[in-house]
Amino acid sequence: MKTLCLIPARGTSTRLHRKNLREVGGVPLVRRAVDIALAAQRAGLVEEVFVSTDDHEIEELIRPAVRPYWRGRTLDATSNVRDVVVEFLNNRDGESWELVLNLLPTSPLRTLRTVVQAYRLMAEHDFAHPVMTAVRPRKAPHHMLAQAVDGLWRVPFPAAGGDFFVHEGGAIWTKPEWLRADKGFYDRPCLIQDVPPEEAVDVDTELDLMLAEALWRRANP
């Protein structure tokens, strides 16, 4: 089964300046994602690895380990991750992949073990559904408040039983045809690979970065 790993890594970010180049444990976030992708390649799960970027510093940082892909002008700051992956697939028309592994640089504590477990979960279900890595929230959504269109805050839906998970950006296994058919990663029912909380930091703010650094230091004294 021909498998692509694509790491989306643009140079700008809205909340944390130059986010993908920030460091945890002395290693830039984008480089940590590349290291996991290469480990997945050595494990036989991935055939090719690309980093989709619009930034020369990122491009130089990832060479010669993986090939950069200079993203097209149709993408801008409002484009989501699914847009980035589809744009890549559409512009590599001569190549075909059966599976796509998407790794976000903002999950610096993700492990190869979790990526492998997610792949095996997809295989166990005959590759019929995408798989997302996700973490149990500290509080279920029915304990939270969401702002409605009238400006008031309410619980988002009735307090029902069952499990709740939040995708933390670690990994998504999916298929090209699903990405092209759907508007986003959340349009299709999926399987969940449960991620330990200590691996589940999604870096979007300075506080997230501090937490990731503290957890990394605890695991690497």
Side-chain angles (χ1 to χ4, degrees):
M1 184 169 289
K2 191 174 181 182
T3 305
L4 162 74
C5 177
L6 187 67
I7 301 169
R10 63 189 179 96
T12 59
S13 53
T14 54
R15 300 184 66 185
L16 184 60
H17 181 64
R18 304 286 281 164
K19 176 171 61 178
N20 291 321
L21 288 166
R22 300 296 290 272
E23 295 183 355
V24 169
V27 180
L29 299 186
V30 65
R31 184 67 212 201
R32 286 189 172 277
V34 166
D35 289 344
I36 292 292
L38 293 177
Q41 189 176 45
R42 290 191 295 271
L45 299 185
V46 171
E47 287 193 22
E48 295 183 274
V49 180
F50 288 89
V51 173
S52 172
T53 190
D54 57 1
D55 187 88
H56 290 291
E57 188 175 353
I58 291 176
E59 183 182 25
E60 291 302 316
L61 181 65
I62 64 173
R63 289 181 182 274
V66 298
R67 285 183 286 174
Y69 168 77
W70 201 259
R71 59 178 61 184
R73 294 183 179 180
T74 56
L75 299 175
D76 56 29
T78 65
S79 301
N80 59 33
V81 175
R82 175 264 177 192
D83 296 335
V84 172
V85 180
V86 170
E87 190 265 347
F88 174 90
L89 292 169
N90 289 343
N91 282 286
R92 309 284 299 194
D93 210 23
E95 302 177 71
S96 60
W97 292 276
E98 296 171 85
L99 287 182
V100 177
L101 169 62
N102 181 242
L103 300 178
L104 295 183
T106 50
S107 295
L109 305 180
R110 128 192 77 219
T111 63
L112 176 63
R113 179 188 65 250
T114 297
V115 174
V116 171
Q117 287 173 339
Y119 176 87
R120 288 175 177 169
L121 179 62
M122 193 178 192
E124 288 169 6
H125 290 80
D126 298 321
F127 300 97
H129 306 282
V131 176
M132 288 187 180
T133 55
V135 64
R136 295 174 187 270
R138 289 180 296 171
K139 290 184 179 293
H142 57 252
H143 292 140
M144 300 178 183
L145 294 171
Q147 192 171 30
V149 292
D150 58 10
L152 300 176
W153 294 79
R154 299 180 176 85
V155 292
F157 42 77
D163 288 334
F164 295 94
F165 287 88
V166 177
H167 174 52
E168 43 43 275
I172 301 175
W173 286 100
T174 187
K175 292 184 178 181
E177 59 265 31
W178 296 341
L179 289 170
R180 289 190 173 102
D182 301 338
K183 294 181 180 179
F185 287 107
Y186 304 105
D187 289 355
R188 187 175 295 266
C190 66
L191 300 165
I192 289 296
Q193 177 60 50
D194 197 350
V195 175
E198 60 271 18
E199 292 183 23
V201 178
D202 182 14
V203 174
D204 198 37
T205 65
E206 288 285 354
L207 183 60
D208 297 331
L209 198 64
M210 292 170 60
L211 177 59
E213 181 71 24
L215 288 169
W216 183 87
R217 288 182 180 276
R218 188 176 73 173
N220 300 273

